[in-house]
Amino acid sequence: MTEGTNSTSRPRRFRIAHLAEAKSHGDKLTMLTAYDSMTATIFDAAGIDMLLVGDSIGTTVFGEANTLGVTLADMVRATKSVSTGPQRALIVSDLPFGTYETSPEQAFTSAVELVRAGANAVKLEGGVRVVDQIKKLVLNGIPVIGHIGFTPQSENILSGPRVQGRGDDAADRVLEDAVAVQEAGASAVVLEMVPAELASRITSILQIPTIGIGAGPDTDGQVLVWSDMVNMTGWQPSFVQRFGEVGAALNTAATDYINAVKSKSFPTREHSF
Ligand code: KIV
């Protein structure tokens, strides 16, 4: 994989310390989801800073309605697959719903599984309510990325994917979560579906980088779900830009293949032993 490769411009392994370094230099951070070795290797060769083994695997790969059915075993398997390919990117794995909320000990036991599978850091959802979990992980050597604003694992209580932090009180709550996550020791925080102005304010207040998704242009970095970015399904959230048409390219390839087999133009003697 050489086409589009950026690795010569950014050759060193991306490590947790580079998050703070990037923020201090004003370098934008890049993150994409990956659920398998093939896509992880492609994005790594392109020069992505971080690969997120997201619990969005539930919707994107398993075809489920939300992320709530994803288990720790699912995340361990995907993390193992993703971590076999990349040479440079930092691998971040999501702690899935039900595997960290009960206690710091539960969070640590679950996070250890992800680290053993190849994660360099874990991400968990929540602000003030998960500070003890974040402290426990960081004290015991596991870097944490927070995730606040719209948190998909709470979609039932939030009544679906909705912008969080509209209005003064709601904005204060998101800011309070951001500060709590930083003070607990997180290395960065994902801001999902928060108004651009609030994301900008949080980004200027925090010392740790903010990574936005549906959070406007002023965060320290950006994360997207890879299948949204390249239009695999014909639908994506309104805040996503399409950077490719991979769904259509696969459809064309599959159609050409079917036609070639049916018309007996493939395989030929050339493809034989
Ligand atoms: O699981 C995921 O893909 C995520 C992103 C939406 C940040 O958490």
Side-chain angles (χ1 to χ4, degrees):
M1 174 63 48
T2 49
E3 202 176 323
T5 295
N6 259 333
S7 49
T8 46
S9 57
R10 308 183 82 177
R12 58 183 185 164
R13 184 139 206 130
F14 193 91
R15 294 184 184 278
I16 211 77
H18 295 136
L19 288 167
E21 200 178 298
K23 176 147 181 152
S24 69
H25 294 160
D27 288 343
K28 282 272 191 181
L29 292 158
T30 59
M31 180 187 242
L32 275 175
T33 62
Y35 315 105
D36 64 83
S37 175
M38 265 191 294
T39 48
T41 304
I42 292 168
F43 302 151
D44 186 65
I48 200 80
D49 296 324
M50 288 170 282
L51 289 165
L52 173 64
V53 189
D55 62 354
S56 51
I57 193 171
T59 50
T60 55
V61 176
F62 303 150
E64 293 167 359
N66 54 44
T67 61
L68 300 178
V70 176
T71 65
L72 190 59
D74 294 331
M75 293 304 298
V76 165
R77 198 74 193 89
T79 301
K80 275 188 183 153
S81 177
V82 166
S83 65
T84 58
Q87 301 296 307
R88 178 182 175 276
L90 186 90
I91 295 168
V92 182
S93 290
D94 268 341
L95 281 166
F97 178 61
T99 68
Y100 62 95
E101 298 88 337
T102 307
S103 65
E105 289 68 31
Q106 186 202 24
F108 182 67
T109 306
S110 302
V112 165
E113 294 295 308
L114 297 177
V115 172
R116 287 199 175 126
N120 305 120
V122 300
K123 178 166 80 57
L124 51 76
E125 295 185 6
V128 173
R129 70 181 168 92
V130 290
V131 294
D132 290 342
Q133 280 83 341
I134 297 175
K135 282 182 188 163
K136 173 84 177 173
L137 298 183
V138 174
L139 267 175
N140 288 287
I142 302 178
V144 174
I145 296 194
H147 183 160
I148 62 171
F150 174 64
T151 45
Q153 292 171 14
S154 304
E155 71 152 47
N156 285 319
I157 209 144
L158 298 174
S159 299
R162 280 168 194 270
V163 175
Q164 303 295 308
R166 276 202 177 123
D168 288 350
D169 288 353
D172 286 350
R173 279 197 299 276
V174 178
L175 177 58
E176 200 188 333
D177 278 339
V179 171
V181 161
Q182 168 173 283
E183 285 179 357
S187 299
V189 62
V190 169
L191 303 181
E192 179 163 357
M193 292 182 76
V194 300
E197 206 180 307
L198 175 60
S200 179
R201 200 167 128 226
I202 292 173
T203 301
S204 64
I205 289 171
L206 292 192
Q207 273 122 42
I208 59 172
T210 57
I211 302 168
I213 175 162
D218 296 333
T219 54
D220 298 304
Q222 182 66 36
V223 56
L224 284 181
V225 171
W226 83 260
S227 47
D228 291 342
M229 175 198 69
V230 293
N231 193 20
M232 288 292 278
T233 63
W235 179 89
Q236 62 274 309
S238 59
F239 54 77
V240 171
Q241 181 175 320
R242 290 181 186 175
F243 290 90
E245 293 293 341
V246 177
L250 282 175
N251 181 289
T252 303
T255 306
D256 291 352
Y257 165 72
I258 292 162
N259 291 339
V261 172
K262 292 212 183 272
S263 67
K264 302 181 184 160
S265 65
F266 173 82
T268 64
R269 293 266 168 205
E270 263 175 58
H271 306 108
S272 312
F273 296 107

